[in-house]
Amino acid sequence: MYSGAVTILGSGSALPTYQNSPSGQLLTLGDKSFLIDCGEGVQLTMRQMAVKTGRLYSVFISHLHGDHCFGLIGLISTLSMMHRLQPLHIYAHADLEKLLRPMLDYHCQELSFEVVFHPINPRKQEVIFEDRTVLVETVPLKHKVPTCGFLFTERHRKKDAETGAFHYETSKRYAYISDTMYSEKIIPQIEGVDMLFHESTYTEEHAERCRGTMHSTAKQAAAIAQAAHAKRLLIGHFSARVDDHTQFLREAQEVFPDTQLAVERTTIEF
């Protein structure tokens, strides 16, 4: 039986609190690790959790709000000080390279590895990464700036005993739905995923503010999980306005019982 795991490096929204740092997750599928978003403080959490970075192959950035990418330059610098040699591939809106390149040229002039930028179109559903074991697609979302989620599909190449032909079998699927207002358009693409992470910035008490900022409530995230027949739901990106995170969990579980909180410094297997 194949398994995946996601380590929560940050599950807060834009304003850091004593409970939460901005967004960051480390997804492990098979022998590969992928960093999804990299808010300020992500590398510190990785160090505190003794996360092994040798298997970190790529970084996927959902959008260019600071709480999802401010940690990148620090992480890159640290990886160089740790004598990383293999290239680091970053998939993000094309503007990220325009923002980071001057900082890399100024602060990381003797970088020990190559940083390879792969521009993506967040408004378009497409495959942006593919190898023999993992396929990654963008999931267009509705937010104040161009934003997309990511659908990770682990697959395994099998040989037919009779024909000798090769085919792929899907094992695990993980959907990361970053900052977005409620959108049923994503449901067909994430149908039946093993684990769905869906942002839940607000509780129903702040539903009006949620609409104004183009975010989702925990109840709305649960509705998406239910409609998509997801096996499990993980909620995070919590607003600093809500101290008691059990409110998010309670509202989501009323709609989708198999929901859990994205608690920082924990690893969830699926």
Side-chain angles (χ1 to χ4, degrees):
M1 177 67 69
Y2 299 107
S3 64
V6 58
T7 298
I8 309 303
L9 304 172
S11 61
S13 53
L15 182 65
T17 68
Y18 71 93
Q19 274 186 293
N20 296 118
S21 299
S23 295
Q25 295 185 6
L26 188 74
L27 176 67
T28 301
L29 292 174
D31 62 349
K32 293 184 176 70
S33 293
F34 305 96
L35 181 62
I36 313 173
D37 281 339
C38 188
E40 184 181 3
V42 159
Q43 69 153 323
L44 179 60
T45 305
M46 292 173 72
R47 297 284 287 172
Q48 291 171 339
M49 294 186 68
V51 170
K52 295 180 180 179
T53 58
R55 291 164 56 186
L56 177 59
Y57 182 77
S58 303
V59 180
F60 295 85
I61 302 297
S62 63
H63 65 295
L64 301 188
H65 278 160
D67 56 319
H68 293 259
C69 63
F70 278 171
L72 265 175
I73 187 66
L75 174 63
I76 291 170
S77 177
T78 296
L79 291 176
S80 184
M81 286 189 281
M82 295 171 66
H83 308 294
R84 178 188 176 96
L85 297 177
Q86 65 268 39
L88 182 68
H89 296 263
I90 301 177
Y91 296 79
H93 189 289
D95 284 353
L96 181 63
E97 182 173 8
K98 297 177 184 178
L99 296 169
L100 272 188
R101 185 60 69 186
M103 299 179 73
L104 290 172
D105 292 342
Y106 189 90
H107 294 289
C108 305
Q109 296 180 16
E110 298 181 1
L111 206 60
S112 65
F113 59 94
E114 182 184 6
V115 178
V116 183
F117 291 93
H118 300 266
I120 64 175
N121 182 356
R123 294 189 172 95
K124 183 179 179 181
Q125 177 185 335
E126 61 183 342
V127 174
I128 57 172
F129 172 84
E130 182 177 11
D131 66 8
R132 294 181 62 178
T133 61
V134 178
L135 183 144
V136 185
E137 304 169 54
T138 49
V139 184
L141 302 174
K142 294 182 178 181
H143 195 42
K144 289 189 172 184
V145 299
T147 304
C148 66
F150 301 104
L151 176 62
F152 295 81
T153 301
E154 184 185 21
R155 58 188 190 170
H156 299 272
R157 194 166 179 251
K158 298 290 185 179
K159 185 176 183 180
D160 188 283
E162 295 183 1
T163 66
F166 286 95
H167 65 279
Y168 284 106
E169 292 183 355
T170 298
S171 53
K172 293 293 182 180
R173 296 169 70 230
Y174 179 76
Y176 176 88
I177 303 303
S178 176
D179 297 20
T180 184
M181 64 189 305
Y182 179 78
S183 174
E184 295 180 351
K185 289 184 178 181
I186 69 174
I187 291 171
Q189 189 179 359
I190 64 173
E191 174 74 28
V193 293
D194 295 279
M195 176 74 82
L196 166 63
F197 170 82
H198 195 295
E199 74 112 299
S200 304
T201 306
Y202 295 103
T203 58
E204 289 301 303
E205 177 186 1
H206 300 106
E208 187 61 36
R209 181 175 180 81
C210 189
R211 285 187 288 272
T213 58
M214 299 185 74
H215 282 293
S216 297
T217 67
K219 187 175 182 179
Q220 289 172 335
I224 293 293
Q226 183 183 58
H229 304 103
K231 293 182 176 67
R232 296 166 65 186
L233 172 64
L234 187 64
I235 56 174
H237 199 265
F238 305 121
S239 169
R241 292 173 176 268
V242 184
D243 292 326
D244 182 7
H245 292 170
T246 60
Q247 294 181 54
F248 294 99
L249 185 62
R250 186 165 53 249
E251 291 185 6
Q253 286 182 334
E254 288 176 356
V255 177
F256 191 82
D258 201 351
T259 301
Q260 64 188 107
L261 299 175
V263 178
E264 290 185 21
R265 295 175 175 79
T266 63
T267 297
I268 302 103
E269 295 185 353
F270 59 92

